[in-house]
Amino acid sequence: MNLVYVSLSYVPSRRASSVHVMKMCAALARAGHDVRLIAKRSHDRADAAADAHAFYGATGFAIDTLPRPRRRGGGVVFALATLGALLARRRRTELVYSRDVIGALTALELRMPAVAELHAVPQDPRIRALTRRVARHPGLRGLVVVSDALRRDLVAADLVPRRAPVIVAHDAADPPGEAPGPVQRLRAGRPRIGYVGNLYPGRGIELIVELAARLPAYDFELVGGSPADLATWRARAQLPNLTLAGFVRPAELAERYRRFDIVLMPYPRSGISVASGANDTSRWCSPMKMFEYMASGAPIVSSDLPVLGEVLRDEHNALVAPAGDIARWQHAVERLVTDPGLAARLAQQAYADLVRDHTWDTRVRRIFAELSPG
């Protein structure tokens, strides 16, 4: 199938949304589709100079990066550029897959069959109105959402299609080339506790810093963060056992994960931020970090957000601790360090669950199996 994927992400960029888009395009290509990605052209000179496919470790598809000026009206410029790109490929495109509501509506108004994907309930009344138009459009083949909690809230907001299916497809990760073995490093030396992700407010970084202060015999490493956030935390958290490693390219993360004995996902119960700052996603999120952790071979300690319970279950494939309860988090980490059998069992079950249900290839197969016929 000739498929155009429309995204609001800058490519290349350091935002998780761009990783999602690139990984989806690679999985669509592996499924046999001829894929072309439409995305925003990066403003960062270093990122813009990088080879996007190598930056993400995602190949097999073409990329068109379109201008999105930073000045007021830049969004209109990108929308018009997207319209032009879709018009140019209108005759040969069999499906448009869009994480951009405006892009989805543009395709549908051009009578191009489309799939829309949502990661949050839109809060802006204008975007809500556009989302409702997309949902009601007869050319919509399906609406993809990243959690069942999001599906329920979209239903309550009357933002779901009446004819096309609503498909729940959690985020995903690529498993390593071969299954990771049981965690061995816990038996010798200092345990290494890892976190990968952003460092801005709403990520639970304060809890990790407090854990490092309480557990001086353990080493903690935080991977990710903007230069400004790194500077903030380096000033606030000067601990000998805490390393702020900074940003690592998505293609290089697998090597980092192999260093960790335990991985932490300390989201708060509310106020989870995204890079745009647009929404509190704590009700609906399906973080890619969770699935990367499941692929890593290291046991997970996670916050008890209800939406994360759609994938992680306490004592089954993770240890789940109350968000913000430092004593319970410390107990969970110490328990994994002192019980290697438990650590290995949880890590192996998480990996098995990932391979069965949550790879990018599985996600693509599930979505296409449920789309309405053209």
Side-chain angles (χ1 to χ4, degrees):
M1 178 182 291
N2 284 304
L3 186 150
V4 173
Y5 193 120
V6 180
S7 166
L8 284 176
S9 297
Y10 291 93
V11 173
S13 82
R14 301 184 177 193
R15 291 188 177 184
S17 61
S18 73
V19 179
H20 172 103
V21 166
M22 291 290 289
K23 294 293 188 179
M24 271 295 290
C25 286
L28 288 162
R30 287 194 298 271
H33 302 294
D34 184 354
V35 181
R36 180 169 295 270
L37 169 64
I38 294 175
K40 295 175 182 174
R41 187 173 302 143
S42 177
H43 293 297
D44 185 282
R45 290 184 179 179
D47 287 348
D51 177 271
H53 295 99
F55 185 91
Y56 296 96
T59 60
F61 57 96
I63 305 173
D64 291 339
T65 54
L66 306 181
R68 199 295 186 190
R70 288 174 169 163
R71 66 178 183 271
R72 185 174 182 178
V76 175
V77 173
F78 178 73
L80 290 173
T82 301
L83 170 61
L86 289 174
L87 279 170
R89 302 189 64 81
R90 183 180 180 186
R91 291 185 178 179
R92 69 190 102 164
T93 298
E94 299 171 81
L95 183 69
V96 174
Y97 192 109
S98 185
R99 270 196 65 174
D100 171 17
V101 170
I102 295 174
L105 185 58
T106 300
L108 290 167
E109 290 298 309
L110 291 172
R111 298 186 179 180
M112 303 170 75
V115 174
E117 179 166 328
L118 295 179
H119 288 229
V121 176
Q123 302 302 303
D124 186 312
R126 295 166 298 178
I127 300 301
R128 278 199 173 216
L130 292 174
T131 302
R132 190 168 284 113
R133 285 182 62 187
V134 168
R136 300 291 184 267
H137 201 286
L140 186 69
R141 296 275 306 280
L143 178 66
V144 178
V145 299
V146 292
S147 65
D148 194 58
L150 177 56
R151 180 195 62 78
R152 294 194 300 270
D153 282 2
L154 288 167
V155 169
D158 193 28
L159 293 174
V160 296
R162 293 181 180 138
R163 297 180 180 176
V166 180
I167 303 163
V168 176
H170 296 95
D171 263 327
D174 289 323
E178 57 184 43
V183 176
Q184 298 290 338
R185 297 180 298 278
L186 288 168
R187 300 177 185 174
R190 294 170 61 89
R192 195 165 190 85
I193 318 300
Y195 166 88
V196 176
N198 288 295
L199 305 182
Y200 45 69
R203 296 281 148 165
I205 305 305
E206 297 86 351
L207 185 142
I208 298 176
V209 172
E210 178 63 23
L211 279 175
R214 288 180 171 224
L215 297 170
Y218 300 177
D219 289 325
F220 291 76
E221 181 174 344
L222 279 63
V223 176
S226 69
D229 290 330
L230 285 166
T232 296
W233 283 108
R234 283 173 177 150
R236 288 179 58 182
Q238 299 181 12
L239 298 170
N241 63 329
L242 178 66
T243 300
L244 297 170
F247 175 75
V248 173
R249 285 185 170 195
E252 300 165 3
L253 277 177
E255 177 58 36
R256 289 293 179 134
Y257 279 121
R258 282 193 282 271
R259 302 181 186 183
F260 298 144
D261 300 309
I262 298 167
V263 286
L264 306 179
M265 198 161 63
Y267 288 123
R269 291 283 283 184
S270 63
I272 294 180
S273 303
V274 293
S276 66
N279 281 313
D280 171 8
T281 63
S282 56
R283 286 177 59 85
W284 318 303
C285 64
S286 179
M288 282 187 299
K289 169 172 38 217
M290 174 165 62
F291 302 101
E292 291 174 357
Y293 283 7
M294 293 170 74
S296 72
I300 302 165
V301 184
S302 170
S303 294
D304 61 344
L305 269 65
V307 69
L308 301 182
E310 294 182 18
V311 175
L312 297 180
R313 299 191 345 246
D314 189 35
E315 303 280 352
H316 171 74
N317 54 9
L319 291 184
V320 177
D325 187 332
I326 187 66
R328 295 282 293 275
W329 276 77
Q330 180 177 346
H331 175 73
V333 170
E334 291 178 321
R335 186 179 169 202
L336 291 172
V337 169
T338 57
D339 189 344
L342 172 66
R345 178 177 65 78
L346 294 175
Q348 289 166 354
Q349 185 61 58
Y351 182 83
D353 292 346
L354 173 94
V355 170
R356 186 186 65 239
D357 295 325
H358 300 298
T359 68
W360 291 112
D361 293 338
T362 299
R363 188 176 198 265
V364 165
R365 286 195 298 270
R366 178 177 298 125
I367 291 168
F368 275 75
E370 295 189 37
L371 291 181
S372 64

